[in-house]
């Protein structure tokens, strides 16, 4: 496995993605992703690299060179996800986890009270109520 492949694989595991799921997210075939991870193909083109970084919530620079921030909210994430991440970023890890658990429980309670299933729209409304 190449250093780039190791970083992709590690982030994939941290994000709880398998190769098939990640390949689907970034719009390539699973064998192409496997070849990239195992160094059996050239570096991805710029568009694929950007989609890969977004799917792994990291930066292109980290994937290629192991430099810069490892964690990044993808540009495709809804604004409320980025807002939560910004709020949690300044807290100690234990406190951030506690706040996040409380936020998730608040969202579930709000959705249950409305008698709806969780989706992007009901989650946004529930988050507004939790704030």
């Amino acid at each position: 496995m190449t250093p780039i492949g190791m970083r992709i694989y590690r982030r994939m595991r941290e994000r709880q993605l398998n190769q098939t799921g990640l390949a689907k997210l970034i719009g390539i075939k699973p064998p192409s992703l496997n070849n990239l991870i195992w160094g059996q193909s050239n570096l991805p083109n710029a568009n694929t690299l950007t989609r890969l970084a977004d799917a792994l919530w990291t930066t292109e620079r980290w994937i290629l060179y192991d430099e810069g921030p490892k964690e990044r909210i993808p540009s495709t994430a809804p604004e409320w996800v980025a807002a939560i991440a910004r709020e949690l970023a300044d807290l100690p890890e234990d406190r951030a986890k506690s706040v996040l658990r409380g936020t998730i429980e608040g969202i579930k309670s709000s959705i249950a009270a409305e008698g709806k299933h969780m989706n992007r729209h009901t989650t946004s409304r529930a988050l507004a109520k939790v704030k």
Side-chain angles (χ1 to χ4, degrees), residues 6-23:
M6 286 188 290
R7 286 189 289 278
I8 292 170
Y9 187 81
R10 183 173 37 182
R11 284 301 289 169
M12 191 175 66
R13 292 292 172 220
E14 288 170 1
R15 298 270 304 122
Q16 298 179 354
L17 294 167
N18 60 32
Q19 285 189 25
T20 302
L22 179 58

Side-chain angles (χ1 to χ4, degrees), residues 97-115:
K97 287 179 180 179
S98 174
V99 168
L100 189 54
R101 278 192 297 275
T103 301
I104 291 168
E105 290 307 312
I107 291 168
K108 288 179 181 178
S109 296
S110 294
I111 290 170
E114 292 181 16

